[in-house]
Amino acid sequence: MACDRGDPQHTAWPAAGGCRIYPYKTDAEAIADALRLSKGMSYKNALAGLPLGGGKAVIIADPQTEKTPALMRAFGRVVETYSGRYITAEDVGCVASDMDTVATETRHVAGLSARVGDPSPYTARGVFMCMRLAARERLGRDLAGLKVAVKGVGHVGLELCRLLAAAGTSLVVADVRAENARRAAELFGADVVATEEIASLDVDIFAPCALGGDINAAASDRLRARIVCGGANNQLLTAGDDRLLLARNITYCPDYLVNAGGIVAIAGEVLSYDDEDVRCRIEAFPDVLREVLHRSEKERRPTGEIADDMAQAILYRPPRIDRSLPTPFDLPPSS
């Protein structure tokens, strides 16, 4: 478990971020992923205007064969040892029912079935709205008639496909699980290709919605899309890989900016936001992205670098904590 809570203005608030269950090959690989994801959550929460630090938990297990109620209860007991300094929720390999099990051992959990449940629709909504803004800014048109390649059609990817199909786009999908790709084809008329092929297709927009690391030196050379905008975390393999996209005039929409809808919904449970507040916060994402794109064009710097600067400016400014408001430590236990 990793928590990045270096923000002085957030010291009264916990770190928040989901639990990823994945069959990492080594402990070192799992730790590196947790640290990288927790840093991304810090930046994500900052740009989304949430008074929360960034946290992430990982469990080394195959979610299809090794995830059990006993495992999730044990994880809940670990979360409880942090005494509210970390709030967990769903991520890859976890669903709302898993969080319900975690909640039997700790109250420091969100994304419960009786509340937000699966936050994927909120994540997909934010990605969709930012993708539409990017198309207007960079292609001078709306999404209707564009061709979008979606890599990974699990919870977020499938919902994104639904929104894109309704907007009139043409879809191509790929997923390591063939049944996921078939479902997208049946529901939305998407073409299906192999996962190793999808990033090199001649499309308008590439939407990575699986695991991270899709954008690297080799992939950037093959990429033919003009925009990269998706729901996956840590889409850049290394911090400088967006510079490769800039050199090829490919617009990268920083992942932690566009995919923050899920954590906004989860934060709604913790911070008592109502549905309208959650909606308004997600609808503000394109405004932030517009600023990133305009600054990138003006300064000729990568969009990821611009977004990092904006997040760090929020994280390290002087604290402004309203002590009249309750922190999550003061909130009553979940019923």
Side-chain angles (χ1 to χ4, degrees):
M1 190 177 299
C3 297
D4 183 346
R5 301 178 68 232
D7 173 14
Q9 71 169 331
H10 292 179
T11 53
W13 297 85
C19 171
R20 175 168 293 190
I21 304 178
Y22 186 77
Y24 297 97
K25 294 179 182 177
T26 65
D27 288 356
E29 182 183 355
I31 291 169
D33 200 29
L35 290 171
R36 198 164 175 234
L37 289 165
S38 68
K39 179 180 179 180
M41 287 305 305
S42 287
Y43 287 18
K44 181 182 297 191
N45 290 340
L47 286 188
L50 301 175
L52 296 167
K56 209 74 174 183
V58 299
I59 297 175
I60 304 175
D62 185 331
Q64 301 300 316
T65 60
E66 298 177 288
K67 183 174 65 175
T68 64
L71 178 67
M72 301 315 298
R73 287 195 296 270
F75 171 62
R77 291 193 291 273
V78 173
V79 172
E80 183 62 21
T81 66
Y82 282 76
S83 303
R85 294 189 299 275
Y86 167 64
I87 296 175
T88 195
E90 298 95 327
D91 194 71
V92 174
C94 279
V95 295
S97 60
D98 297 322
M99 293 302 106
D100 295 342
T101 303
V102 172
T104 64
E105 301 289 345
T106 181
R107 68 184 178 94
H108 306 298
V109 55
L112 304 178
S113 296
R115 296 186 178 181
V116 168
D118 180 10
S120 298
Y122 297 94
T123 302
R125 181 67 182 171
V127 173
F128 171 79
M129 296 182 70
C130 288
M131 188 182 293
R132 185 172 60 189
L133 181 279
R136 291 170 176 171
E137 291 284 323
R138 289 295 181 254
L139 306 180
R141 55 182 294 185
D142 218 320
L143 291 171
L146 297 184
K147 192 168 188 178
V148 182
V150 181
K151 182 179 181 182
V153 280
H155 293 285
V156 172
L158 192 69
E159 176 64 14
L160 179 60
C161 285
R162 185 187 71 79
L163 295 170
L164 289 170
T169 66
S170 175
L171 293 169
V172 186
V173 302
D175 197 290
V176 293
R177 299 181 66 182
E179 61 269 28
N180 287 354
R182 282 197 300 270
R183 182 170 51 188
E186 292 168 0
L187 290 174
F188 311 117
D191 294 328
V192 178
V193 299
T195 54
E196 60 270 18
E197 179 185 352
I198 192 162
S200 59
L201 295 180
D202 186 9
V203 296
D204 298 293
I205 301 172
F206 175 50
C209 294
L211 298 177
D214 276 320
I215 307 301
N216 53 44
S220 66
D221 284 341
R222 299 193 309 270
L223 201 64
R224 300 171 72 186
R226 296 176 63 188
I227 295 170
V228 175
C229 182
N233 289 313
N234 294 333
Q235 293 169 23
L236 304 178
L237 185 63
T238 66
D241 285 334
D242 56 342
R243 188 169 293 279
L244 302 174
L245 299 183
L246 177 65
R248 295 194 55 214
N249 200 30
I250 297 172
T251 297
Y252 167 63
C253 302
D255 50 39
Y256 58 78
L257 191 170
V258 308
N259 70 12
I263 191 60
V264 170
I266 291 298
E269 288 188 22
V270 179
L271 304 171
S272 300
Y273 296 158
D274 60 25
D275 291 344
E276 180 65 13
D277 196 7
V278 169
R279 184 187 65 79
C280 288
R281 287 173 180 272
I282 294 173
E283 289 184 352
F285 293 176
D287 293 332
V288 181
L289 178 60
R290 182 184 292 107
E291 180 179 352
V292 169
L293 297 182
H294 287 185
R295 283 186 54 183
S296 174
E297 184 174 15
K298 179 180 179 181
E299 301 171 23
R300 295 304 298 166
R301 288 200 295 148
T303 52
E305 188 177 303
I306 298 290
D308 285 357
D309 286 352
M310 292 170 62
Q312 289 166 8
I314 295 169
L315 288 170
Y316 296 106
R317 68 190 178 197
R320 292 182 300 183
I321 299 171
D322 187 347
R323 298 296 184 181
S324 68
L325 298 175
T327 74
F329 302 117
D330 303 320
L331 299 177
S334 303
S335 57

PDB file of all heavy atoms in Angstrom, residues 167-201:
ATOM      1  N   ALA A 167     -22.763   8.929 -29.698  1.00  0.00           N
ATOM      2  CA  ALA A 167     -22.321  10.189 -30.303  1.00  0.00           C
ATOM      3  C   ALA A 167     -22.038  10.046 -31.792  1.00  0.00           C
ATOM      4  O   ALA A 167     -21.692  11.033 -32.449  1.00  0.00           O
ATOM      5  CB  ALA A 167     -21.075  10.697 -29.588  1.00  0.00           C
ATOM      6  N   GLY A 168     -22.151   8.834 -32.326  1.00  0.00           N
ATOM      7  CA  GLY A 168     -21.991   8.643 -33.760  1.00  0.00           C
ATOM      8  C   GLY A 168     -20.598   8.306 -34.231  1.00  0.00           C
ATOM      9  O   GLY A 168     -20.288   8.466 -35.413  1.00  0.00           O
ATOM     10  N   THR A 169     -19.738   7.806 -33.334  1.00  0.00           N
ATOM     11  CA  THR A 169     -18.397   7.418 -33.760  1.00  0.00           C
ATOM     12  C   THR A 169     -18.396   6.000 -34.306  1.00  0.00           C
ATOM     13  O   THR A 169     -19.290   5.200 -34.040  1.00  0.00           O
ATOM     14  CB  THR A 169     -17.390   7.479 -32.598  1.00  0.00           C
ATOM     15  OG1 THR A 169     -17.726   6.487 -31.634  1.00  0.00           O
ATOM     16  CG2 THR A 169     -17.370   8.846 -31.947  1.00  0.00           C
ATOM     17  N   SER A 170     -17.351   5.687 -35.047  1.00  0.00           N
ATOM     18  CA  SER A 170     -17.079   4.327 -35.510  1.00  0.00           C
ATOM     19  C   SER A 170     -16.050   3.715 -34.568  1.00  0.00           C
ATOM     20  O   SER A 170     -15.018   4.341 -34.287  1.00  0.00           O
ATOM     21  CB  SER A 170     -16.551   4.366 -36.944  1.00  0.00           C
ATOM     22  OG  SER A 170     -16.163   3.086 -37.375  1.00  0.00           O
ATOM     23  N   LEU A 171     -16.300   2.505 -34.081  1.00  0.00           N
ATOM     24  CA  LEU A 171     -15.483   1.930 -33.022  1.00  0.00           C
ATOM     25  C   LEU A 171     -14.693   0.719 -33.490  1.00  0.00           C
ATOM     26  O   LEU A 171     -15.188  -0.129 -34.229  1.00  0.00           O
ATOM     27  CB  LEU A 171     -16.362   1.515 -31.840  1.00  0.00           C
ATOM     28  CG  LEU A 171     -17.056   2.636 -31.066  1.00  0.00           C
ATOM     29  CD1 LEU A 171     -18.093   2.059 -30.118  1.00  0.00           C
ATOM     30  CD2 LEU A 171     -16.027   3.467 -30.299  1.00  0.00           C
ATOM     31  N   VAL A 172     -13.449   0.647 -33.017  1.00  0.00           N
ATOM     32  CA  VAL A 172     -12.619  -0.544 -33.126  1.00  0.00           C
ATOM     33  C   VAL A 172     -12.152  -0.868 -31.713  1.00  0.00           C
ATOM     34  O   VAL A 172     -11.735   0.046 -30.982  1.00  0.00           O
ATOM     35  CB  VAL A 172     -11.391  -0.321 -34.031  1.00  0.00           C
ATOM     36  CG1 VAL A 172     -10.637  -1.634 -34.229  1.00  0.00           C
ATOM     37  CG2 VAL A 172     -11.795   0.270 -35.361  1.00  0.00           C
ATOM     38  N   VAL A 173     -12.226  -2.129 -31.299  1.00  0.00           N
ATOM     39  CA  VAL A 173     -11.886  -2.483 -29.928  1.00  0.00           C
ATOM     40  C   VAL A 173     -10.916  -3.662 -29.906  1.00  0.00           C
ATOM     41  O   VAL A 173     -10.828  -4.439 -30.853  1.00  0.00           O
ATOM     42  CB  VAL A 173     -13.143  -2.830 -29.094  1.00  0.00           C
ATOM     43  CG1 VAL A 173     -14.117  -1.668 -29.070  1.00  0.00           C
ATOM     44  CG2 VAL A 173     -13.812  -4.099 -29.610  1.00  0.00           C
ATOM     45  N   ALA A 174     -10.220  -3.773 -28.781  1.00  0.00           N
ATOM     46  CA  ALA A 174      -9.354  -4.915 -28.513  1.00  0.00           C
ATOM     47  C   ALA A 174      -9.335  -5.156 -27.021  1.00  0.00           C
ATOM     48  O   ALA A 174      -9.409  -4.210 -26.223  1.00  0.00           O
ATOM     49  CB  ALA A 174      -7.938  -4.664 -29.032  1.00  0.00           C
ATOM     50  N   ASP A 175      -9.242  -6.417 -26.624  1.00  0.00           N
ATOM     51  CA  ASP A 175      -9.181  -6.759 -25.206  1.00  0.00           C
ATOM     52  C   ASP A 175      -8.512  -8.118 -25.083  1.00  0.00           C
ATOM     53  O   ASP A 175      -8.711  -8.996 -25.928  1.00  0.00           O
ATOM     54  CB  ASP A 175     -10.588  -6.800 -24.598  1.00  0.00           C
ATOM     55  CG  ASP A 175     -10.575  -6.738 -23.080  1.00  0.00           C
ATOM     56  OD1 ASP A 175     -10.144  -7.722 -22.435  1.00  0.00           O
ATOM     57  OD2 ASP A 175     -10.983  -5.708 -22.519  1.00  0.00           O
ATOM     58  N   VAL A 176      -7.746  -8.286 -24.009  1.00  0.00           N
ATOM     59  CA  VAL A 176      -7.095  -9.577 -23.789  1.00  0.00           C
ATOM     60  C   VAL A 176      -8.124 -10.675 -23.508  1.00  0.00           C
ATOM     61  O   VAL A 176      -7.841 -11.855 -23.698  1.00  0.00           O
ATOM     62  CB  VAL A 176      -6.085  -9.498 -22.624  1.00  0.00           C
ATOM     63  CG1 VAL A 176      -4.910  -8.609 -22.997  1.00  0.00           C
ATOM     64  CG2 VAL A 176      -6.751  -9.011 -21.331  1.00  0.00           C
ATOM     65  N   ARG A 177      -9.315 -10.263 -23.056  1.00  0.00           N
ATOM     66  CA  ARG A 177     -10.400 -11.226 -22.849  1.00  0.00           C
ATOM     67  C   ARG A 177     -11.340 -11.140 -24.050  1.00  0.00           C
ATOM     68  O   ARG A 177     -12.034 -10.142 -24.250  1.00  0.00           O
ATOM     69  CB  ARG A 177     -11.138 -10.922 -21.547  1.00  0.00           C
ATOM     70  CG  ARG A 177     -10.246 -11.010 -20.314  1.00  0.00           C
ATOM     71  CD  ARG A 177     -11.010 -10.717 -19.043  1.00  0.00           C
ATOM     72  NE  ARG A 177     -12.013 -11.732 -18.779  1.00  0.00           N
ATOM     73  CZ  ARG A 177     -12.853 -11.702 -17.742  1.00  0.00           C
ATOM     74  NH1 ARG A 177     -12.809 -10.675 -16.901  1.00  0.00           N
ATOM     75  NH2 ARG A 177     -13.734 -12.670 -17.557  1.00  0.00           N
ATOM     76  N   ALA A 178     -11.362 -12.203 -24.828  1.00  0.00           N
ATOM     77  CA  ALA A 178     -12.114 -12.202 -26.082  1.00  0.00           C
ATOM     78  C   ALA A 178     -13.592 -11.924 -25.866  1.00  0.00           C
ATOM     79  O   ALA A 178     -14.243 -11.274 -26.692  1.00  0.00           O
ATOM     80  CB  ALA A 178     -11.928 -13.545 -26.799  1.00  0.00           C
ATOM     81  N   GLU A 179     -14.137 -12.377 -24.728  1.00  0.00           N
ATOM     82  CA  GLU A 179     -15.564 -12.176 -24.487  1.00  0.00           C
ATOM     83  C   GLU A 179     -15.909 -10.697 -24.310  1.00  0.00           C
ATOM     84  O   GLU A 179     -17.000 -10.247 -24.671  1.00  0.00           O
ATOM     85  CB  GLU A 179     -16.036 -12.980 -23.273  1.00  0.00           C
ATOM     86  CG  GLU A 179     -15.378 -12.622 -21.958  1.00  0.00           C
ATOM     87  CD  GLU A 179     -14.134 -13.436 -21.649  1.00  0.00           C
ATOM     88  OE1 GLU A 179     -13.468 -13.879 -22.615  1.00  0.00           O
ATOM     89  OE2 GLU A 179     -13.843 -13.621 -20.454  1.00  0.00           O
ATOM     90  N   ASN A 180     -14.973  -9.908 -23.764  1.00  0.00           N
ATOM     91  CA  ASN A 180     -15.203  -8.471 -23.632  1.00  0.00           C
ATOM     92  C   ASN A 180     -15.289  -7.802 -25.000  1.00  0.00           C
ATOM     93  O   ASN A 180     -16.162  -6.966 -25.248  1.00  0.00           O
ATOM     94  CB  ASN A 180     -14.081  -7.828 -22.821  1.00  0.00           C
ATOM     95  CG  ASN A 180     -14.148  -8.150 -21.345  1.00  0.00           C
ATOM     96  OD1 ASN A 180     -15.092  -8.777 -20.881  1.00  0.00           O
ATOM     97  ND2 ASN A 180     -13.132  -7.745 -20.598  1.00  0.00           N
ATOM     98  N   ALA A 181     -14.369  -8.168 -25.883  1.00  0.00           N
ATOM     99  CA  ALA A 181     -14.373  -7.586 -27.229  1.00  0.00           C
ATOM    100  C   ALA A 181     -15.633  -7.995 -27.994  1.00  0.00           C
ATOM    101  O   ALA A 181     -16.239  -7.180 -28.704  1.00  0.00           O
ATOM    102  CB  ALA A 181     -13.117  -8.012 -27.979  1.00  0.00           C
ATOM    103  N   ARG A 182     -16.040  -9.258 -27.847  1.00  0.00           N
ATOM    104  CA  ARG A 182     -17.256  -9.723 -28.530  1.00  0.00           C
ATOM    105  C   ARG A 182     -18.474  -8.959 -28.050  1.00  0.00           C
ATOM    106  O   ARG A 182     -19.367  -8.623 -28.837  1.00  0.00           O
ATOM    107  CB  ARG A 182     -17.453 -11.223 -28.294  1.00  0.00           C
ATOM    108  CG  ARG A 182     -16.563 -12.113 -29.152  1.00  0.00           C
ATOM    109  CD  ARG A 182     -17.102 -13.535 -29.172  1.00  0.00           C
ATOM    110  NE  ARG A 182     -17.165 -14.120 -27.834  1.00  0.00           N
ATOM    111  CZ  ARG A 182     -16.177 -14.798 -27.273  1.00  0.00           C
ATOM    112  NH1 ARG A 182     -15.046 -14.991 -27.943  1.00  0.00           N
ATOM    113  NH2 ARG A 182     -16.307 -15.295 -26.060  1.00  0.00           N
ATOM    114  N   ARG A 183     -18.521  -8.672 -26.758  1.00  0.00           N
ATOM    115  CA  ARG A 183     -19.666  -7.946 -26.212  1.00  0.00           C
ATOM    116  C   ARG A 183     -19.746  -6.540 -26.810  1.00  0.00           C
ATOM    117  O   ARG A 183     -20.826  -6.071 -27.172  1.00  0.00           O
ATOM    118  CB  ARG A 183     -19.554  -7.868 -24.685  1.00  0.00           C
ATOM    119  CG  ARG A 183     -20.722  -7.164 -24.010  1.00  0.00           C
ATOM    120  CD  ARG A 183     -20.634  -7.362 -22.502  1.00  0.00           C
ATOM    121  NE  ARG A 183     -19.319  -7.005 -21.988  1.00  0.00           N
ATOM    122  CZ  ARG A 183     -18.925  -7.232 -20.743  1.00  0.00           C
ATOM    123  NH1 ARG A 183     -19.735  -7.830 -19.892  1.00  0.00           N
ATOM    124  NH2 ARG A 183     -17.713  -6.856 -20.352  1.00  0.00           N
ATOM    125  N   ALA A 184     -18.607  -5.866 -26.942  1.00  0.00           N
ATOM    126  CA  ALA A 184     -18.598  -4.535 -27.550  1.00  0.00           C
ATOM    127  C   ALA A 184     -19.035  -4.604 -29.011  1.00  0.00           C
ATOM    128  O   ALA A 184     -19.733  -3.708 -29.506  1.00  0.00           O
ATOM    129  CB  ALA A 184     -17.204  -3.917 -27.434  1.00  0.00           C
ATOM    130  N   ALA A 185     -18.629  -5.660 -29.684  1.00  0.00           N
ATOM    131  CA  ALA A 185     -19.030  -5.831 -31.080  1.00  0.00           C
ATOM    132  C   ALA A 185     -20.534  -6.041 -31.193  1.00  0.00           C
ATOM    133  O   ALA A 185     -21.199  -5.451 -32.065  1.00  0.00           O
ATOM    134  CB  ALA A 185     -18.278  -7.005 -31.700  1.00  0.00           C
ATOM    135  N   GLU A 186     -21.084  -6.849 -30.313  1.00  0.00           N
ATOM    136  CA  GLU A 186     -22.517  -7.139 -30.349  1.00  0.00           C
ATOM    137  C   GLU A 186     -23.352  -5.923 -29.973  1.00  0.00           C
ATOM    138  O   GLU A 186     -24.385  -5.639 -30.580  1.00  0.00           O
ATOM    139  CB  GLU A 186     -22.827  -8.306 -29.407  1.00  0.00           C
ATOM    140  CG  GLU A 186     -22.239  -9.643 -29.871  1.00  0.00           C
ATOM    141  CD  GLU A 186     -22.310 -10.702 -28.785  1.00  0.00           C
ATOM    142  OE1 GLU A 186     -22.826 -10.381 -27.678  1.00  0.00           O
ATOM    143  OE2 GLU A 186     -21.857 -11.841 -29.031  1.00  0.00           O
ATOM    144  N   LEU A 187     -22.907  -5.194 -28.964  1.00  0.00           N
ATOM    145  CA  LEU A 187     -23.702  -4.070 -28.462  1.00  0.00           C
ATOM    146  C   LEU A 187     -23.587  -2.821 -29.339  1.00  0.00           C
ATOM    147  O   LEU A 187     -24.580  -2.106 -29.521  1.00  0.00           O
ATOM    148  CB  LEU A 187     -23.259  -3.717 -27.032  1.00  0.00           C
ATOM    149  CG  LEU A 187     -23.609  -4.731 -25.937  1.00  0.00           C
ATOM    150  CD1 LEU A 187     -22.970  -4.319 -24.619  1.00  0.00           C
ATOM    151  CD2 LEU A 187     -25.116  -4.849 -25.775  1.00  0.00           C
ATOM    152  N   PHE A 188     -22.389  -2.573 -29.884  1.00  0.00           N
ATOM    153  CA  PHE A 188     -22.149  -1.279 -30.523  1.00  0.00           C
ATOM    154  C   PHE A 188     -21.645  -1.392 -31.961  1.00  0.00           C
ATOM    155  O   PHE A 188     -21.275  -0.379 -32.561  1.00  0.00           O
ATOM    156  CB  PHE A 188     -21.146  -0.460 -29.692  1.00  0.00           C
ATOM    157  CG  PHE A 188     -21.492  -0.405 -28.234  1.00  0.00           C
ATOM    158  CD1 PHE A 188     -20.645  -0.946 -27.277  1.00  0.00           C
ATOM    159  CD2 PHE A 188     -22.693   0.162 -27.807  1.00  0.00           C
ATOM    160  CE1 PHE A 188     -20.963  -0.904 -25.931  1.00  0.00           C
ATOM    161  CE2 PHE A 188     -23.022   0.201 -26.458  1.00  0.00           C
ATOM    162  CZ  PHE A 188     -22.162  -0.338 -25.514  1.00  0.00           C
ATOM    163  N   GLY A 189     -21.620  -2.595 -32.490  1.00  0.00           N
ATOM    164  CA  GLY A 189     -21.158  -2.772 -33.860  1.00  0.00           C
ATOM    165  C   GLY A 189     -19.683  -2.500 -34.042  1.00  0.00           C
ATOM    166  O   GLY A 189     -19.237  -2.164 -35.146  1.00  0.00           O
ATOM    167  N   ALA A 190     -18.900  -2.645 -32.982  1.00  0.00           N
ATOM    168  CA  ALA A 190     -17.469  -2.367 -33.051  1.00  0.00           C
ATOM    169  C   ALA A 190     -16.739  -3.458 -33.827  1.00  0.00           C
ATOM    170  O   ALA A 190     -17.085  -4.635 -33.749  1.00  0.00           O
ATOM    171  CB  ALA A 190     -16.882  -2.262 -31.644  1.00  0.00           C
ATOM    172  N   ASP A 191     -15.727  -3.062 -34.569  1.00  0.00           N
ATOM    173  CA  ASP A 191     -14.806  -4.026 -35.165  1.00  0.00           C
ATOM    174  C   ASP A 191     -13.839  -4.495 -34.082  1.00  0.00           C
ATOM    175  O   ASP A 191     -13.500  -3.734 -33.166  1.00  0.00           O
ATOM    176  CB  ASP A 191     -14.021  -3.389 -36.312  1.00  0.00           C
ATOM    177  CG  ASP A 191     -14.907  -3.025 -37.494  1.00  0.00           C
ATOM    178  OD1 ASP A 191     -15.910  -3.743 -37.728  1.00  0.00           O
ATOM    179  OD2 ASP A 191     -14.617  -2.014 -38.161  1.00  0.00           O
ATOM    180  N   VAL A 192     -13.387  -5.732 -34.189  1.00  0.00           N
ATOM    181  CA  VAL A 192     -12.487  -6.309 -33.194  1.00  0.00           C
ATOM    182  C   VAL A 192     -11.153  -6.634 -33.837  1.00  0.00           C
ATOM    183  O   VAL A 192     -11.103  -7.240 -34.916  1.00  0.00           O
ATOM    184  CB  VAL A 192     -13.093  -7.587 -32.578  1.00  0.00           C
ATOM    185  CG1 VAL A 192     -12.118  -8.216 -31.580  1.00  0.00           C
ATOM    186  CG2 VAL A 192     -14.420  -7.279 -31.893  1.00  0.00           C
ATOM    187  N   VAL A 193     -10.067  -6.203 -33.178  1.00  0.00           N
ATOM    188  CA  VAL A 193      -8.717  -6.517 -33.651  1.00  0.00           C
ATOM    189  C   VAL A 193      -7.905  -7.040 -32.458  1.00  0.00           C
ATOM    190  O   VAL A 193      -8.354  -6.986 -31.309  1.00  0.00           O
ATOM    191  CB  VAL A 193      -8.019  -5.289 -34.266  1.00  0.00           C
ATOM    192  CG1 VAL A 193      -8.778  -4.775 -35.473  1.00  0.00           C
ATOM    193  CG2 VAL A 193      -7.841  -4.184 -33.228  1.00  0.00           C
ATOM    194  N   ALA A 194      -6.712  -7.516 -32.729  1.00  0.00           N
ATOM    195  CA  ALA A 194      -5.830  -8.004 -31.680  1.00  0.00           C
ATOM    196  C   ALA A 194      -5.266  -6.849 -30.856  1.00  0.00           C
ATOM    197  O   ALA A 194      -5.102  -5.729 -31.366  1.00  0.00           O
ATOM    198  CB  ALA A 194      -4.685  -8.803 -32.299  1.00  0.00           C
ATOM    199  N   THR A 195      -4.955  -7.109 -29.590  1.00  0.00           N
ATOM    200  CA  THR A 195      -4.454  -6.049 -28.708  1.00  0.00           C
ATOM    201  C   THR A 195      -3.137  -5.473 -29.212  1.00  0.00           C
ATOM    202  O   THR A 195      -2.877  -4.274 -29.051  1.00  0.00           O
ATOM    203  CB  THR A 195      -4.267  -6.577 -27.277  1.00  0.00           C
ATOM    204  OG1 THR A 195      -3.428  -7.745 -27.314  1.00  0.00           O
ATOM    205  CG2 THR A 195      -5.599  -6.936 -26.650  1.00  0.00           C
ATOM    206  N   GLU A 196      -2.291  -6.305 -29.824  1.00  0.00           N
ATOM    207  CA  GLU A 196      -1.005  -5.815 -30.307  1.00  0.00           C
ATOM    208  C   GLU A 196      -1.135  -4.993 -31.586  1.00  0.00           C
ATOM    209  O   GLU A 196      -0.184  -4.336 -32.010  1.00  0.00           O
ATOM    210  CB  GLU A 196      -0.033  -6.978 -30.534  1.00  0.00           C
ATOM    211  CG  GLU A 196      -0.475  -8.008 -31.548  1.00  0.00           C
ATOM    212  CD  GLU A 196      -1.280  -9.144 -30.933  1.00  0.00           C
ATOM    213  OE1 GLU A 196      -1.792  -8.967 -29.802  1.00  0.00           O
ATOM    214  OE2 GLU A 196      -1.383 -10.200 -31.581  1.00  0.00           O
ATOM    215  N   GLU A 197      -2.312  -4.984 -32.170  1.00  0.00           N
ATOM    216  CA  GLU A 197      -2.532  -4.272 -33.436  1.00  0.00           C
ATOM    217  C   GLU A 197      -3.218  -2.927 -33.255  1.00  0.00           C
ATOM    218  O   GLU A 197      -3.038  -2.004 -34.064  1.00  0.00           O
ATOM    219  CB  GLU A 197      -3.385  -5.165 -34.349  1.00  0.00           C
ATOM    220  CG  GLU A 197      -3.729  -4.589 -35.697  1.00  0.00           C
ATOM    221  CD  GLU A 197      -4.678  -5.475 -36.492  1.00  0.00           C
ATOM    222  OE1 GLU A 197      -4.944  -6.611 -36.059  1.00  0.00           O
ATOM    223  OE2 GLU A 197      -5.173  -5.011 -37.544  1.00  0.00           O
ATOM    224  N   ILE A 198      -3.992  -2.771 -32.180  1.00  0.00           N
ATOM    225  CA  ILE A 198      -4.935  -1.659 -32.128  1.00  0.00           C
ATOM    226  C   ILE A 198      -4.261  -0.292 -32.069  1.00  0.00           C
ATOM    227  O   ILE A 198      -4.762   0.680 -32.642  1.00  0.00           O
ATOM    228  CB  ILE A 198      -5.924  -1.840 -30.951  1.00  0.00           C
ATOM    229  CG1 ILE A 198      -7.074  -0.835 -31.099  1.00  0.00           C
ATOM    230  CG2 ILE A 198      -5.214  -1.720 -29.597  1.00  0.00           C
ATOM    231  CD1 ILE A 198      -8.285  -1.180 -30.279  1.00  0.00           C
ATOM    232  N   ALA A 199      -3.106  -0.195 -31.432  1.00  0.00           N
ATOM    233  CA  ALA A 199      -2.467   1.118 -31.295  1.00  0.00           C
ATOM    234  C   ALA A 199      -1.919   1.640 -32.618  1.00  0.00           C
ATOM    235  O   ALA A 199      -1.640   2.835 -32.745  1.00  0.00           O
ATOM    236  CB  ALA A 199      -1.356   1.062 -30.264  1.00  0.00           C
ATOM    237  N   SER A 200      -1.760   0.784 -33.605  1.00  0.00           N
ATOM    238  CA  SER A 200      -1.176   1.210 -34.876  1.00  0.00           C
ATOM    239  C   SER A 200      -2.220   1.405 -35.974  1.00  0.00           C
ATOM    240  O   SER A 200      -1.859   1.641 -37.132  1.00  0.00           O
ATOM    241  CB  SER A 200      -0.138   0.182 -35.344  1.00  0.00           C
ATOM    242  OG  SER A 200      -0.728  -1.095 -35.508  1.00  0.00           O
ATOM    243  N   LEU A 201      -3.508   1.356 -35.624  1.00  0.00           N
ATOM    244  CA  LEU A 201      -4.559   1.508 -36.625  1.00  0.00           C
ATOM    245  C   LEU A 201      -4.672   2.962 -37.087  1.00  0.00           C
ATOM    246  O   LEU A 201      -4.359   3.897 -36.350  1.00  0.00           O
ATOM    247  CB  LEU A 201      -5.901   1.052 -36.052  1.00  0.00           C
ATOM    248  CG  LEU A 201      -6.033  -0.429 -35.687  1.00  0.00           C
ATOM    249  CD1 LEU A 201      -7.416  -0.696 -35.133  1.00  0.00           C
ATOM    250  CD2 LEU A 201      -5.755  -1.327 -36.883  1.00  0.00           C
TER     251      LEU A 201
END
